[in-house]
Amino acid sequence: MTDALIERKLIEIMRIISESDKPVGARSIADELNNRGYGIGERAVRYHLRILDERGFTKKEGYSGRVITELGEKELRDALIGDRLSFVSTRIEELMYRMNFDPETGEGNVIVNISLVDNNDLEDALEIIKIVTAKSITISPRIQIFDENSDSKIDVPKGKTAIATVCSITIDGILLNQGVPVEPAYGGTLNIKNNEPVNFQDLISYSGTSIDPIKIFMSRKTTSVLDVLDTGTGKILANMRTIPASASEKALDVINRINASEIGGVIRTGESGEYVFGAPVDFGMSGMPVYVGTNVICAIEEAGIDVATYPVSTVLEYSNMSKL
């Protein structure tokens, strides 16, 4: 039986072979592995290749070297997806660690989404943001704008303007920093009727996807935020996180304190093990659904304006963000 390190090397060897448009020999593979940080010689590569041949993942092409088989390509795709499954959660944890927002002062870093719009569409986009934030179906009415000449860490392409909106994961970071354990559970579309949330129509677990669930739903264009604004009925995006039921009272206290800094979006807190808007919650945990910051961007897209959005993008100083 091979250990985890050998399996990792096998995957990397398959990746190297797959990336080549011709058979690859053991020496070339060893050289490339060393370039990628794997200290492994030609002899060891031949040992690994024998394992791959036996599994049917690679095969010899005469004296030229190895090529990857159809079975090997499938194995490689599955393995790479497995490697990426934890990426979203890891990225979220990294940004929450970089957060230092202080509920008492209203200052410090918050997590933001970055959206890019054409300069010609900026005025219309900002008007929509103003309308949506007044409806309180997002995290905060505060945004920050960066143009291509802004001296900042935000890379803005020529002819574009970047709009930073507060991400709902900010709530998680604040709760964690205040001693409340919290875990992002799902992202989904939430049905709204008569201006009240009714139930989640679709859910994607954060632990089971290699792409941010909110980005998936945005790409599918599943929302009707403008309908919610016009009629009070439609679909918007929301996240579900879970906290220990024993920490609910403390969590509500924190949420009440940050409301003074114009950070909100928490819809409700469920009882222990209670399904919240149809989303399952483990016993001993409480579900906490939260509107997402990109609901304003969904409304812009619904209005026919092209937007490229990068949820859970980076952290920015909250006191530098302002309300339109």
Side-chain angles (χ1 to χ4, degrees), residues 1-18:
M1 182 178 292
T2 57
D3 61 24
L5 180 57
I6 291 178
E7 290 293 341
R8 178 65 263 176
K9 290 177 181 177
L10 292 173
I11 293 299
E12 202 62 39
I13 289 171
M14 284 198 293
R15 196 201 305 253
I16 291 169
I17 297 173
S18 178

Side-chain angles (χ1 to χ4, degrees), residues 94-305:
E94 174 197 348
L95 292 178
M96 285 196 293
Y97 178 78
R98 291 168 57 189
M99 269 192 57
N100 58 4
F101 178 82
D102 186 344
E104 308 307 325
T105 65
E107 298 180 346
N109 289 333
V110 296
I111 301 172
V112 298
N113 314 297
I114 299 296
S115 300
L116 299 174
V117 299
D118 289 339
N119 292 340
N120 294 335
D121 293 323
L122 180 60
E123 186 176 345
D124 291 338
L126 294 180
E127 185 61 32
I128 292 171
I129 290 176
K130 186 185 299 185
I131 295 171
V132 175
T133 53
K135 191 74 172 180
S136 300
I137 53 174
T138 185
I139 296 301
S140 172
R142 296 194 193 185
I143 66 170
Q144 191 167 356
I145 298 172
F146 303 90
D147 60 32
E148 59 192 85
N149 298 314
S150 295
D151 183 18
S152 73
K153 59 185 176 182
I154 307 298
D155 183 24
V156 184
K158 186 175 181 180
K160 301 283 187 178
T161 297
I163 303 172
T165 54
V166 180
C167 175
S168 65
I169 304 298
T170 291
I171 302 293
D172 303 56
I174 293 172
L175 289 173
L176 280 174
N177 290 340
Q178 294 294 308
V180 179
V182 59
E183 182 177 351
Y186 310 102
T189 53
L190 184 64
N191 287 319
I192 305 293
K193 187 174 182 179
N194 297 325
N195 293 309
E196 295 292 335
V198 178
N199 65 286
F200 279 105
Q201 178 165 317
D202 294 294
L203 289 171
I204 297 177
S205 169
Y206 272 91
S207 64
T209 178
S210 58
I211 305 173
D212 184 284
I214 296 304
K215 191 172 182 66
I216 293 174
F217 286 116
M218 291 184 72
S219 67
R220 293 176 181 173
K221 302 187 184 304
T222 56
T223 63
S224 49
V225 178
L226 294 180
D227 287 345
V228 174
L229 298 179
D230 291 340
T231 68
T233 298
K235 290 186 292 185
I236 65 174
L237 297 177
N239 273 324
M240 171 76 87
R241 63 264 302 113
T242 57
I243 61 173
S246 58
S248 294
E249 187 174 338
K250 184 173 184 179
L252 290 174
D253 174 67
V254 174
I255 291 165
N256 288 333
R257 283 190 284 135
I258 64 176
N259 285 343
S261 298
E262 297 182 305
I263 294 179
V266 176
I267 304 171
R268 57 166 291 198
T269 301
E271 300 295 331
S272 175
E274 176 194 4
Y275 278 39
V276 180
F277 301 131
V281 178
D282 291 338
F283 182 76
M285 305 296 288
S286 292
M288 182 182 289
V290 180
Y291 295 127
V292 304
T294 51
N295 277 323
V296 295
I297 306 303
C298 291
I300 293 172
E301 290 182 322
E302 290 170 22
I305 299 173

Side-chain angles (χ1 to χ4, degrees), residues 22-43:
K22 58 184 179 181
V24 188
R27 179 175 294 278
S28 296
I29 293 172
D31 290 343
E32 182 58 28
L33 283 170
N34 278 275
N35 291 336
R36 300 185 184 193
Y38 291 89
I40 182 172
E42 183 178 349
R43 183 176 178 180

